[in-house]
Amino acid sequence: MTLTQSLLIIALLIAASAFIAVAEISLAASRRLRLRQMADEGDPRAEKAIQLQEQPGDYFTVVQVGQNAIAILGGIVGESTFSAPLTDLLDDWIGPSMAQNLGSVTSFFLITSLFILFADLLPRRLSMVEPERLLLVVLRPMLLCMTIFRPVVWFYSRITDAVIRMTGLPDKRNEQITSDDILAMTEDGARAGVLAEREQQAIANIFELDTRTVASAMTTRDSVAYFLRDDPDHVIRARIAEEPFSTYPVCEGDIDHVIGYVDAKDLFQRVLNNQPISLLDDSLIRKVLIVPDKLTLAEVLDQFQQAHEDFAVILNEYSLVVGVVTLNDVMSTVMGDLVSPDDEEQIIQRDEHSWLIDGITPIDDVMRVLDLEELPHEEEYETLAGFLMVMLRRVPRRTDSVDWGGYRFEVMDVDSYRIDQVLVSRLRDAPHGSELVDPASALSAMAAVAASAAAEAPADNSAQAETAPAAKPGATSPQTPIVP
């Protein structure tokens, strides 16, 4: 065999090995979603590729038989092609024995390098870049090879199947797509510029609907505008002018006895027709949807769909109203700052290392903004205010602070026990979970606070009586938290 013929055979073997490498990697790396999309567009090869991914045994048997056969042939042909010329070339410079050994080693290195570069690295890298397109190119030749070598394929496939059954190893790829898979894809799309960062966050928020409770999106009890059943016309008109909303709960006596709700459109229609407004008229009051406060946002959406409503009153386990939620509240949670006006932002970044955060901000939003993976006792609270209460083991006051995860959470403003604003500052060189409250010292501090509060109670109560604002008609004062 001449040198030209040997080189031609080696080139053909490298091309065949590259083809098999492309066939192997492209099938393994092809995305099932992309193949399904191509099949839906009318490409029958994509449908066949999906079937091969589900049962790849015979396909990879052909791949392995071909790779091993080509490797053996490449070694035989390469040895005879390069070893003799290299030995003759080196014989003039070194001894015959050493020239033969060095020629064989050099021939082996040269053949191995050619196969590694052109039959492995290059085709495999290309197959990882565009696996679906290359898979469809090599699919029909591979199916032909599977037909030609069917006896060999059958033999090795049956042996492999027997070994897998004996060892209990899995023989099918798990094609189940989880929410984590979808989120990972959207994050990759955002990094690649295919998705805007806000769009990616909206998709992530959708998957959080199954984990976030309704309390994270509701309007809290002390912010609910409602009517009493016996409110006169002028009180109703004044309330609408002061707190314009689309829906108002109607209560009997107090907020914890909700009998229904009234739509502002119905009230406006009576105003336009110069008719008096009286909530004693049952035609104005609609049946209200009542939901427990432990439901997730996804479950609330289901309740809205089943009841054909977009407004619900939320009760706790003691049948007390804790807030109200609307369909718009849930969608605002999903869309985030895509739809929320700037003046309603709950998290405002002051500079690179500090944020001003509303106390009722859902703790999931706080963790996302601060890039925190976890917080202590996460199951015990829903909001930033709840986090501070759990960490301090009492109702926070102004200037109280908690350090955790490299951040300081400092209470800036408290209104009737409600935490309005919290300043979050990044600590420099702070260890994770720094300055946690020691249980013994916490109990001592709580005892001291309780003693001082008891001693100052008469003066505090009188001061509160002098400065407390007059309650609005039909409004209830917020419940006073119990201080340990």
Side-chain angles (χ1 to χ4, degrees):
M1 185 182 298
T2 64
L3 179 62
T4 302
Q5 292 174 333
S6 298
L7 292 176
L8 179 60
I9 292 175
I10 291 175
L12 292 175
L13 290 175
I14 290 176
S17 182
F19 171 83
I20 292 176
V22 169
E24 178 185 19
I25 299 301
S26 61
L27 182 68
S30 291
R31 295 161 292 186
R32 185 180 180 87
L33 288 176
R34 178 58 181 156
L35 290 175
R36 173 55 59 191
Q37 181 182 1
M38 298 170 73
D40 293 340
E41 293 173 355
D43 194 331
R45 297 174 300 173
E47 188 65 41
K48 186 62 179 178
I50 294 175
Q51 296 175 7
L52 287 176
Q53 280 190 332
E54 295 174 352
Q55 296 289 340
D58 294 350
Y59 185 92
F60 284 123
T61 299
V62 173
V63 168
Q64 293 304 315
V65 170
Q67 283 181 338
N68 286 277
I70 292 173
I72 295 173
L73 290 175
I76 296 174
V77 175
E79 173 68 19
S80 61
T81 300
F82 296 108
S83 180
L86 289 173
T87 300
D88 294 340
L89 179 63
L90 296 173
D91 191 30
D92 296 335
W93 302 90
I94 56 179
S97 176
M98 184 171 291
Q100 184 177 3
N101 293 334
L102 186 57
S104 298
V105 172
T106 305
S107 175
F108 173 79
F109 175 77
L110 182 60
I111 288 296
T112 302
S113 299
L114 289 174
F115 271 87
I116 289 176
L117 179 60
F118 295 105
D120 284 320
L121 294 181
L122 185 60
R124 290 174 186 273
R125 183 171 297 184
L126 291 176
S127 299
M128 291 298 297
V129 174
E130 295 186 354
E132 296 85 12
R133 186 175 68 85
L134 292 178
L135 176 60
L136 299 188
V137 172
V138 302
L139 185 62
R140 287 178 179 173
M142 286 298 297
L143 293 176
L144 179 61
C145 292
M146 290 171 62
T147 302
I148 295 175
F149 298 104
R150 184 172 297 277
V152 177
V153 170
W154 180 88
F155 176 73
Y156 286 111
S157 293
R158 299 295 81 77
I159 294 178
T160 304
D161 292 341
V163 173
I164 289 176
R165 284 194 298 270
M166 291 174 59
T167 57
L169 297 174
D171 60 346
K172 291 183 180 180
R173 184 166 68 173
N174 184 9
E175 296 291 350
Q176 183 178 2
I177 299 176
T178 65
S179 58
D180 291 336
D181 297 330
I182 298 176
L183 290 177
M185 292 174 60
T186 59
E187 290 174 0
D188 291 340
R191 284 192 290 266
V194 179
L195 285 175
E197 183 177 350
R198 291 184 175 183
E199 295 172 341
Q200 189 275 329
Q201 187 58 58
I203 296 174
N205 290 341
I206 291 175
F207 288 100
E208 290 183 2
L209 294 180
D210 285 325
T211 57
R212 294 182 63 163
T213 63
V214 65
S216 65
M218 71 180 182
T219 300
T220 56
R221 173 191 179 102
D222 58 340
S223 300
V224 175
Y226 64 94
F227 298 130
L228 295 179
R229 183 73 182 271
D230 55 358
D231 278 342
D233 180 277
H234 69 277
V235 171
I236 296 174
R237 292 174 183 264
R239 180 66 53 78
I240 295 174
E242 182 182 357
E243 299 176 291
F245 294 104
S246 61
T247 308
Y248 298 88
V250 179
C251 308
E252 191 76 62
D254 57 51
I255 192 174
D256 292 317
H257 297 83
V258 180
I259 61 174
Y261 75 94
V262 61
D263 197 310
K265 293 183 294 184
D266 297 334
L267 302 180
F268 292 153
Q269 186 176 3
R270 293 214 168 194
V271 171
L272 293 176
N273 293 331
N274 294 322
Q275 295 176 339
I277 302 176
S278 174
L279 299 179
L280 297 175
D281 184 357
D282 292 335
S283 63
L284 284 177
I285 300 178
R286 305 186 184 188
K287 184 178 181 181
V288 67
L289 176 64
I290 305 293
V291 298
D293 61 346
K294 299 304 181 183
L295 291 186
T296 65
L297 293 179
E299 291 172 327
V300 170
L301 283 178
D302 290 337
Q303 295 269 2
F304 282 153
Q305 183 178 15
Q306 295 173 8
H308 302 286
E309 292 286 352
D310 58 4
F311 173 81
V313 173
I314 305 168
L315 300 184
N316 63 11
E317 58 184 309
Y318 303 106
S319 298
L320 300 178
V321 173
V322 296
V324 298
V325 66
T326 66
L327 180 60
N328 185 62
D329 294 331
V330 179
M331 298 312 299
S332 296
T333 302
V334 173
M335 302 307 293
D337 54 5
L338 284 176
V339 298
S340 298
D342 294 337
D343 58 354
E344 293 183 1
E345 288 186 357
Q346 293 180 318
I347 302 177
I348 300 175
Q349 185 166 2
R350 301 170 67 246
D351 53 45
E352 184 180 357
H353 301 289
S354 65
W355 296 260
L356 196 61
I357 305 179
D358 195 303
I360 64 171
T361 303
I363 197 64
D364 292 335
D365 295 342
V366 176
M367 293 173 63
R368 180 168 57 247
V369 169
L370 302 182
D371 196 23
L372 290 173
E373 294 294 334
E374 61 179 358
L375 287 174
H377 315 294
E378 290 182 44
E379 69 282 356
E380 298 183 18
Y381 48 84
E382 295 284 345
T383 64
L384 178 58
F387 163 72
L388 292 171
M389 288 183 180
V390 168
M391 296 299 293
L392 294 171
R393 313 308 297 178
R394 58 177 171 80
V395 178
R397 298 187 294 269
R398 286 187 62 185
T399 72
D400 283 342
S401 65
V402 171
D403 292 355
W404 175 264
Y407 295 93
R408 171 163 293 168
F409 301 81
E410 183 177 359
V411 179
M412 301 299 294
D413 187 25
V414 178
D415 182 15
S416 298
Y417 302 105
R418 179 187 181 276
I419 302 175
D420 278 344
Q421 297 293 335
V422 178
L423 178 63
V424 181
S425 305
R426 195 191 309 272
L427 298 176
R428 296 185 179 181
D429 303 326
H432 184 76
S434 60
E435 297 186 26
L436 289 179
V437 180
D438 179 73
S441 62
L443 289 174
S444 300
M446 289 159 54
V449 170
S452 61
E456 299 175 1
D460 291 344
N461 291 340
S462 61
Q464 181 178 359
E466 294 176 3
T467 59
K472 294 185 296 184
T476 57
S477 60
Q479 293 180 336
T480 303
I482 299 175
V483 182

